[in-house]
Amino acid sequence: MSKLTINTVAVIGAGAMGAGIAQVAAQSGYQVCLFDLADGKAHQAKAQIEKSLMRRVQKGRLEHSELELTLARIQCSSRLSEVAGAGVVIEAIIENLEVKQSVFRDLEAICQPECILASNTSSISITAIASALETPERVVGLHFFNPAPVMKLVEVIRGVATADDVAQRALEWARSCGKHAVLARSMPGFIVNRVARPFYAEGLRALEEQVASVADIDYLLRKAGGFNMGPFELMDLIGHDVNYAVTKSVFDACYQDRRYQPSLIQKELVDAGFFGRKSGRGFYCYGEKSSTVEPNVYRELLTPVENVIQIGQWQPTEKTFEALTASTLMKGSSLLLKNTEQALNISMSAMLEIDGVLVIPTRGKSATQLADELGCPVVVFDYCQDYQSSPLIAVSAALQNTIQQTEKAIAYIQSLEKQVILFKDYPGMVVWRTLSMLTNEALDLVNKGGASLDDVDMAMKSGVNYPLGPIEWGRELGWQNLKETLEYLTQFYGEERYRPSPLLRQLAYGNE
């Protein structure tokens, strides 16, 4: 297929996504034909673009001359024949395969043979869309994220028949618009919607098992995990109708793989019409009924403990915890404990002994299981991206503990000037378990040829604003740690949901 210099971009559909894509292309210097079959819809979208740009002008973020140039580049149409001269056509209409196939057949008939035919679909197979055409090799996915003028990521999706040069030109075009373009195969969920599933699923699983409240889980993942929003806040923002539909779509497309199993709690919200912010109620209430929900931190300030002993050496994962605790450890102390070696093997890191209570970083076993294996009281604490900057540390206590024993650990963490949230005993806890599953899902996608390691990290940081990419997290947390965490969870639940990816196993074996 010969190459065509792209001067004109056509956008099919003048809804929110179509208008956003048209604005991106026009601001990047391309002539744009914004098409919508509904009479006047494209002109309405252009008026909204003008309002959006005018707000930027008023804030001093855009020159008025640039606004005028951008608007001059956008031509509106309700006649599909007027997109015939475009170098790339981007479809942004309803998520319905048959409707999309019909539109693409029409585009194939009127557009130049060298024109790239692209879909902005977030969930429908590019291969399936292209299968209706005589020239499926010219079809590619260009998945922008909402709002398109703001979000940096574009997923470029290859179908089975997509030609190499079409995918490459699509990448180059997206990058010419200032976007972070990544290449993915047409697999269920592509990159972001697939890899992000555990972020929602693990929050919902913890809620189903009554580990903690919605507010506690969100607060922990924001303050300790470094995420901009907790899973329940984010699902409320996205809309439960949308988020649940995506989860169900990936679940069904992957032949009911239990890793993607939808949550009955979220289904209840959808059935009730509690979609989140847009309906005024989801996990939280909004509008007139809104109220601030405070996390359930341990309110009582306990008397600091006197005897704190460190066993073993901290892993790099806990280096900031080591720095936090270094000044409080008793110098020259030793622990007379016969099963110290066993304890170190179980925790895979250092631990603290506080008046007979072992305080251990989570690695996938519950505190109750560790207490049974070690024969002493155990409190497990969750992972923090930075223990020094995080305002809180979450802990879980073994069922065998007395409240007095658990409060020994809580008192010590309070003495480090940290808030404490006491969660129900839960293997892997919340942050560590979520990061383990995100990394595992990313590696599974890479292992199946869905995307490269680097593109997965770029996609998750640019598309959903994760503080690190899941591959970066995996390197930081340790492949072996994550593999064993997932193996413990698989054994605990007796489910395939937590099975380690073959690539995670290979990376873990390579680092042993």
Side-chain angles (χ1 to χ4, degrees):
M1 183 181 288
S2 61
K3 290 189 177 181
L4 172 71
T5 300
I6 297 172
N7 296 313
T8 301
V9 176
V11 180
I12 309 300
M17 282 305 304
I21 295 168
Q23 179 181 330
V24 168
Q27 284 190 279
S28 302
Y30 293 97
Q31 297 297 316
V32 176
C33 179
L34 178 57
F35 166 86
D36 200 288
L37 191 62
D39 191 38
K41 181 70 177 292
H43 288 282
Q44 292 173 11
K46 184 175 179 179
Q48 288 299 316
I49 293 171
E50 183 176 8
K51 287 182 181 179
S52 174
L53 292 174
M54 182 58 73
R55 286 194 292 269
R56 295 194 65 199
V57 170
Q58 292 168 347
K59 293 178 180 179
R61 297 175 182 173
L62 184 73
E63 294 293 332
H64 196 275
S65 59
E66 182 60 29
L67 177 150
E68 292 177 337
L69 284 172
T70 298
L71 294 175
R73 295 185 188 114
I74 301 175
Q75 303 302 313
C76 299
S77 176
S78 59
R79 292 193 300 170
L80 194 62
S81 60
E82 294 187 4
V83 311
V88 58
V89 180
I90 304 170
E91 166 271 313
I93 62 173
I94 186 172
E95 289 287 80
N96 180 286
L97 176 60
E98 289 74 22
V99 175
K100 288 182 187 292
Q101 286 177 329
S102 176
V103 169
F104 273 83
R105 280 192 293 264
D106 292 340
L107 292 171
E108 182 182 38
I110 65 174
C111 293
Q112 301 172 73
E114 300 87 354
C115 174
I116 297 171
L117 303 180
S119 175
N120 182 60
T121 181
S122 61
S123 60
I124 296 177
S125 165
I126 297 301
T127 298
I129 294 172
S131 69
L133 277 64
E134 294 181 5
T135 54
E137 65 273 10
R138 66 195 293 198
V139 179
V140 70
L142 278 170
H143 180 211
F144 286 74
F145 286 71
N146 194 28
V150 176
M151 299 300 291
K152 281 294 188 181
L153 182 66
V154 174
E155 293 178 326
V156 178
I157 315 299
R158 293 191 58 157
V160 168
T162 304
D164 291 344
D165 74 307
V166 169
Q168 185 59 40
R169 289 166 62 206
L171 275 169
E172 291 170 359
W173 179 80
R175 288 167 180 164
S176 76
C177 294
K179 297 300 184 181
H180 298 161
V182 296
L183 185 63
R185 269 181 56 203
S186 185
M187 299 174 69
F190 306 146
I191 299 177
V192 171
N193 279 334
R194 181 168 182 152
V195 175
R197 296 328 319 146
F199 184 67
Y200 313 114
E202 287 306 307
L204 289 163
R205 185 72 180 256
L207 190 63
E208 287 170 352
E209 296 190 26
Q210 304 180 70
V211 172
S213 70
V214 163
D216 287 354
I217 294 169
D218 276 346
Y219 186 66
L220 178 66
L221 281 159
R222 278 190 285 109
K223 297 301 183 180
F227 293 92
N228 287 340
M229 301 180 76
F232 305 110
E233 295 168 313
L234 185 53
M235 284 185 279
D236 272 6
L237 178 64
I238 294 168
H240 292 285
D241 51 338
V242 174
N243 188 263
Y244 178 78
V246 172
T247 299
K248 192 173 184 304
S249 172
V250 173
F251 178 64
D252 291 338
C254 293
Y255 302 105
Q256 286 75 51
D257 188 326
R258 296 303 170 187
R259 283 186 302 173
Y260 312 113
Q261 184 171 342
S263 166
L264 289 173
I265 286 180
Q266 191 173 36
K267 183 180 184 299
E268 283 188 327
L269 291 177
V270 174
D271 290 345
F274 298 159
F275 299 148
R277 287 181 178 273
K278 62 187 175 184
S279 69
R281 179 175 173 183
F283 285 110
Y284 299 95
C285 291
Y286 302 92
E288 295 180 359
K289 296 182 179 180
S290 65
S291 60
T292 302
V293 183
E294 296 294 334
N296 187 33
V297 299
Y298 216 83
R299 301 298 177 188
E300 183 182 356
L301 188 60
L302 303 174
T303 303
V305 296
E306 297 179 358
N307 188 24
V308 180
I309 302 168
Q310 179 178 317
I311 308 169
Q313 299 298 314
W314 297 108
Q315 286 193 1
T317 306
E318 285 86 35
K319 282 299 179 185
T320 57
F321 184 77
E322 179 181 23
L324 184 67
T325 61
S327 62
T328 67
L329 292 175
M330 297 180 63
K331 306 300 181 182
S333 298
S334 61
L335 180 64
L336 301 176
L337 190 67
K338 293 181 180 179
N339 57 2
T340 298
E341 190 68 29
Q342 179 189 9
L344 289 174
N345 288 337
I346 287 174
S347 75
M348 298 177 62
S349 184
M351 63 185 73
L352 300 178
E353 192 275 331
I354 301 174
D355 291 346
V357 179
L358 288 181
V359 181
I360 305 174
T362 185
R363 286 295 186 273
K365 290 187 176 183
S366 68
T368 299
Q369 182 178 355
L370 289 170
D372 180 67
E373 293 174 354
L374 297 170
C376 60
V378 170
V379 171
V380 174
F381 63 92
D382 206 349
Y383 175 76
C384 292
Q385 188 178 358
D386 185 339
Y387 288 95
Q388 290 180 292
S389 63
S390 173
L392 83 154
I393 295 176
V395 301
S396 289
L399 294 178
Q400 299 93 322
N401 291 13
T402 65
I403 186 61
Q404 292 78 14
Q405 289 167 333
T406 298
E407 286 186 341
K408 295 285 187 182
I410 293 172
Y412 175 70
I413 295 173
Q414 287 180 336
S415 75
L416 302 175
E417 300 183 349
K418 299 294 179 184
Q419 297 173 333
V420 180
I421 298 182
L422 179 61
F423 280 37
K424 176 182 171 183
D425 191 22
Y426 188 59
M429 299 203 68
V430 174
V431 178
W432 180 268
R433 184 158 149 173
T434 298
L435 298 183
S436 298
M437 288 293 282
L438 285 170
T439 299
N440 191 56
E441 188 59 39
L443 290 174
D444 198 60
L445 180 66
V446 172
N447 191 57
K448 292 174 180 173
S452 70
L453 293 169
D454 288 342
D455 277 359
V456 167
D457 273 354
M458 180 182 289
M460 301 313 291
K461 288 189 289 186
S462 300
V464 280
N465 296 315
Y466 285 0
L468 293 176
I471 310 304
E472 292 174 321
W473 265 317
R475 294 190 182 103
E476 181 176 294
L477 303 183
W479 307 120
Q480 180 70 12
N481 289 337
L482 299 184
K483 179 182 81 73
E484 295 205 3
T485 293
L486 294 173
E487 288 173 339
Y488 291 144
L489 291 172
T490 299
Q491 182 181 32
F492 182 87
Y493 286 105
E495 299 177 16
E496 287 194 353
R497 174 183 178 130
Y498 296 101
R499 66 187 186 276
S501 162
L503 182 52
L504 176 56
R505 291 185 182 278
Q506 289 287 80
L507 291 168
Y509 295 146
N511 281 275
E512 282 185 339

